[in-house]
Amino acid sequence: MEKTNVMRILESKKVPYKEYYYGDTEAISGVEVATVLNEDPNIVFKTLVTTSKSKNNYVFMIPVEKELDLKKCASSVNEKYIEMIPQKDLLPLTGYIHGGCSPIGMKKQFKTIIDESCKNYESIIFSGGKIGYQVEVKLNDLSKVINYRTYNITK
């Protein structure tokens, strides 16, 4: 298994992590990824990038089987309105493609909100920065790599 940029960043910050590879499967959705990894879908998170009316970008992380509540997201960052960025804008903005977007290693560090359900677990699993790769990181260790807050942001 190759090292992704996310893994290199975690190692450079001396953050322990567990790596997962699922590239040899047909898994496409986050729920399918959780199933292939034999993990609880409540600890497997997807990374979603949004834009606001004020043209700020935000990153939200939610469990793969949940749906983002855009009103709650807007409230969490004191914005009036938030929407998903167009998929074509994801790569130029973050350096990641759809399905391989990680909160770690984006071109720019955006304000990141993780659904408060993460507090129920010691660690969460999320994209390793490339389709087919996931990493599991303890929440207190994740704060050494990215700044984030928790908030109820799911429907």
Side-chain angles (χ1 to χ4, degrees):
M1 184 162 101
E2 69 179 85
K3 291 262 187 248
T4 66
N5 193 40
V6 169
M7 294 170 192
R8 286 189 284 278
I9 291 168
L10 289 168
E11 288 172 3
S12 74
K13 302 275 189 186
K14 301 197 179 348
V15 171
Y17 67 94
K18 183 176 178 183
E19 57 194 55
Y20 297 87
Y21 178 72
Y22 65 94
D24 51 0
T25 71
E26 299 292 317
I28 296 175
S29 75
V31 173
E32 291 170 334
V33 169
T35 300
V36 166
L37 299 179
N38 200 26
E39 292 290 343
D40 179 351
N42 291 306
I43 68 164
V44 180
F45 280 62
K46 54 187 168 185
T47 305
L48 305 167
V49 184
T50 63
T51 187
S52 68
K53 191 169 186 142
S54 62
K55 303 295 182 219
N56 290 315
N57 294 106
Y58 300 97
V59 173
F60 295 96
M61 296 178 66
I62 63 173
V64 294
E65 63 181 4
K66 300 282 185 181
E67 191 176 334
L68 198 61
D69 185 318
L70 294 173
K71 286 184 179 179
K72 289 179 182 178
C73 290
S75 175
S76 76
V77 292
N78 297 316
E79 292 279 0
K80 290 189 185 321
Y81 177 79
I82 280 191
E83 64 184 1
M84 296 300 296
I85 64 164
Q87 192 169 324
K88 66 178 178 53
D89 295 341
L90 187 63
L91 180 60
L93 181 68
T94 66
Y96 291 120
I97 62 169
H98 180 73
C101 188
S102 179
I104 299 173
M106 288 189 179
K107 288 181 177 181
K108 178 181 173 193
Q109 181 63 59
F110 300 106
K111 185 176 280 191
T112 302
I113 309 294
I114 303 176
D115 186 65
E116 69 183 4
S117 66
C118 70
K119 294 177 183 177
N120 297 327
Y121 308 98
E122 188 177 335
S123 60
I124 61 172
I125 299 170
F126 53 89
S127 175
K130 194 172 184 179
I131 293 174
Y133 296 84
Q134 297 274 301
V135 292
E136 181 174 354
V137 179
K138 289 183 179 178
L139 287 165
N140 58 350
D141 288 333
L142 185 57
S143 64
K144 297 172 187 173
V145 185
I146 62 168
N147 292 320
Y148 70 87
R149 290 186 301 115
T150 61
Y151 200 90
N152 176 7
I153 52 173
T154 59
K155 292 184 178 179

